[in-house]
């Protein structure tokens, strides 16, 4: 009985000769020789790109550990070419190399990306957020331009005005919103008057509570509270309506019929909110003044006649005009954001919910920002 062949440590070397660079793989590539082979593989990986041919005729024993090292040395592409060459290796070794290569590719694809430092992760997150924010700004500016262009084109053709859609949207955005707007602003007016009376009583200036309520609601609270309520109520409705049509491919059907989705869906909603928000802001101002007047009457013994007389004598008309002038701007921005987010919806219910939430957040954010800028501008102008 012959003695078993002695184990030969695996080795690899790159030889250049006759104009061809050859990688010679020899010996046993097994777990027993793993550590020396790791060092050899690491040394050869930098030169493997110049190899034109692979010689495995002297390859001895091979197990999964050796197959993994060959994958690390040759790479997926070269290993696949070696496996495809039926004359280079026996069928069982080609099957082993193929199975190990496929398993390693699946593992690499499933591995999460390596985490960097905490500072790097924060900076990466900030960069991605700024990129998303910039794309939102550019998209909103483009959609505003498209809306204005469509509005100017339709404005010159009265036959294309969709008065039925305008009336339906006006009822939903204005008439149906009157109770909630009036109730909330009435309560806020009462709270402002109560706080003003409590604080100003310490200075013997309780009568100035009337001025506080009038100034705050005519200039700021009336239109701002209304815009926030409308942003939560109407912008979400616009996004959900148009988003559902996008998910059901109804907007694609509209375009196939040769109709303009901007003219059919966006313009009636924008026009309705442009009319609705100034009216709702006026209702909010009146309701806030009534709430403040009732608190003044009960807590300060200021009669309604005295309240209105002081408002007439101390509060100029420009404060009302400044407040009401913000309403169309807020209305246009809220309507455009709601319709834009609806147009961005993909074909799923989850996307409808995500864009509806985004529309409300964006609308409230931009309303507060624009109101703050307008307040600073009016302060600098002395209005």
């Amino acid at each position: 009985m012959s003695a078993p062949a002695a184990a030969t440590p695996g080795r690899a070397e790159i030889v250049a000769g006759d104009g061809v660079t050859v990688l010679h793989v020899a010996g046993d590539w097994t777990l027993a020789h793993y550590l020396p082979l790791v060092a050899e593989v690491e040394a050869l990986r930098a030169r493997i790109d110049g190899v034109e041919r692979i010689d495995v005729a002297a390859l001895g024993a091979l197990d999964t550990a050796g197959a993994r090292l060959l994958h690390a040395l040759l790479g997926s592409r070269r290993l696949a070419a070696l496996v495809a060459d039926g004359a280079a290796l026996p069928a069982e070794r080609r099957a082993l190399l193929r199975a190990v290569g496929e398993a390693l590719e699946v593992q690499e694809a499933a591995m999460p990306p390596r985490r960097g430092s905490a500072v790097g992760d924060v900076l990466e997150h900030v960069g991605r957020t700024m990129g998303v924010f910039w794309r939102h700004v550019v998209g909103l500016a483009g959609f505003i331009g498209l809306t204005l262009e469509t509005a100017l084109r339709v404005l010159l053709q009265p036959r294309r005005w969709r008065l039925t859609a305008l009336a339906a949207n006006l009822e939903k955005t204005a008439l149906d919103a009157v109770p909630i707007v009036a109730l909330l602003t009435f309560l806020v007016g009462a709270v402002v008057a109560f706080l003003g009376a409590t604080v100003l009583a310490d200075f013997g200036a309780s009568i100035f509570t009337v001025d506080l309520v009038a100034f705050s609601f005519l200039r700021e609270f009336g239109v701002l509270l209304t815009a926030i309520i409308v942003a939560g109520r109407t912008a979400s409705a616009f996004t959900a309506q148009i988003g559902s049509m996008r998910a059901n491919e109804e907007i694609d059907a509209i375009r196939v019929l040769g109709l303009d989705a901007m003219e059919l869906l966006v313009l009636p909603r924008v026009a309705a909110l442009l009319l609705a928000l100034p009216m709702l802001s006026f209702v909010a101002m009146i309701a806030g003044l009534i709430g403040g007047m009732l608190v003044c009457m009960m807590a300060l013994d200021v009669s309604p006649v005295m309240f209105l007389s002081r408002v007439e004598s101390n509060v100029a008309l420009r404060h009302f005009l400044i407040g009401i002038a913000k309403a169309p701007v807020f209305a246009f921005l809220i309507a455009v954001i709601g319709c834009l987010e609806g147009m961005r919806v993909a074909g799923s219910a989850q996307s409808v919910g995500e864009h509806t939430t985004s529309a409300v957040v964006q609308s409230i954010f931009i309303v507060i920002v624009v109101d703050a800028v307008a307040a600073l501008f009016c302060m600098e102008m002395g209005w």
Side-chain angles (χ1 to χ4, degrees):
M1 182 176 180
S2 60
T8 305
R11 65 184 185 278
E13 60 179 346
I14 297 176
V15 178
D18 298 331
V20 178
T21 304
V22 182
L23 171 67
H24 293 282
V25 179
D28 296 341
W29 286 63
T30 58
L31 184 61
H33 310 292
Y34 186 81
L35 290 179
L37 284 172
V38 168
E40 198 161 351
V41 167
E42 290 296 329
L44 291 176
R45 285 180 65 179
R47 302 166 51 197
I48 196 66
D49 291 337
V51 171
E52 301 175 24
R53 189 165 62 86
I54 302 173
D55 179 16
V56 292
L59 178 64
L62 179 68
D63 61 7
T64 54
R68 186 183 187 282
L69 287 174
L70 285 175
H71 179 275
L73 176 62
L74 302 177
S76 300
R77 182 178 59 83
R78 291 177 183 272
L79 188 66
L82 181 63
V83 170
D85 186 3
L89 290 169
E92 64 274 9
R93 294 195 173 181
R94 286 189 283 116
L96 175 61
L97 289 174
R98 184 185 302 110
V100 171
E102 292 175 354
L104 290 174
E105 290 175 6
V106 171
Q107 180 182 8
E108 291 174 359
M111 285 178 63
R114 186 171 60 87
R115 300 289 294 179
S117 63
V119 176
D121 293 342
V122 171
L123 293 177
E124 179 187 2
H125 181 71
V126 171
R128 292 180 183 276
T129 303
M130 292 303 298
V132 172
F133 176 76
W134 177 249
R135 288 193 293 272
H136 273 291
V137 171
V138 172
L140 179 60
F143 195 77
I144 288 175
L146 184 60
T147 303
L148 293 176
E149 185 269 335
T150 307
L152 292 175
R153 175 163 43 84
V154 173
L155 192 63
L156 302 177
Q157 304 176 36
R159 286 188 175 184
R160 302 180 69 174
W161 295 357
R162 300 187 178 276
L163 298 179
T164 303
L166 174 64
N169 284 290
L170 189 60
E171 178 185 3
K172 295 176 183 177
T173 57
L175 188 61
D176 294 348
V178 168
I180 184 68
V181 169
L183 176 62
L184 289 181
T185 51
F186 173 84
L187 296 175
V188 173
V191 170
V192 170
F194 177 76
L195 292 176
T198 303
V199 174
L200 294 175
D202 297 336
F203 303 95
S206 300
I207 191 62
F208 288 103
T209 303
V210 177
D211 304 69
L212 173 63
V213 173
F215 276 107
S216 61
F217 270 88
L218 293 179
R219 287 185 67 108
E220 295 293 337
F221 284 169
V223 64
L224 184 61
L225 291 173
T226 304
I228 292 174
I229 294 170
V230 169
R233 183 181 181 275
T234 305
S236 59
F238 288 175
T239 302
Q241 291 164 3
I242 297 177
S244 298
M245 296 180 71
R246 282 274 297 176
N248 295 329
E249 300 182 353
E250 295 176 39
I251 294 180
D252 295 333
I254 289 173
R255 289 170 177 161
V256 169
L257 292 174
L259 300 174
D260 187 356
M262 294 291 297
E263 179 182 338
L264 189 67
L265 301 175
V266 176
L267 282 187
R269 288 173 168 81
V270 173
L273 202 57
L274 281 172
L275 295 174
L277 195 56
M279 293 187 287
L280 290 174
S281 298
F282 180 76
V283 171
M285 293 175 184
I286 299 300
L289 290 175
I290 292 175
M293 183 173 61
L294 290 179
V295 171
C296 289
M297 182 178 63
M298 292 186 294
L300 304 176
D301 293 329
V302 177
S303 66
V305 174
M306 184 183 299
F307 184 95
L308 296 176
S309 175
R310 187 166 182 85
V311 170
E312 181 183 1
S313 59
N314 290 358
V315 182
L317 180 62
R318 73 172 185 274
H319 301 299
F320 168 75
L321 296 178
I322 290 172
I324 207 69
K326 301 176 189 176
V329 179
F330 293 165
F332 181 78
L333 293 174
I334 292 170
V336 166
I337 290 173
C339 295
L340 173 60
E341 290 300 315
M343 290 292 186
R344 286 175 170 169
V345 169
S348 66
Q350 180 181 358
S351 180
V352 174
E354 290 173 353
H355 285 279
T356 300
T357 303
S358 178
V360 174
V361 173
Q362 289 184 54
S363 300
I364 295 176
F365 173 78
I366 200 167
V367 161
I368 295 176
V369 170
V370 172
D371 184 72
V373 172
L376 292 175
F377 176 78
C378 293
M379 183 179 66
E380 291 296 327
M381 297 297 294
W383 293 348

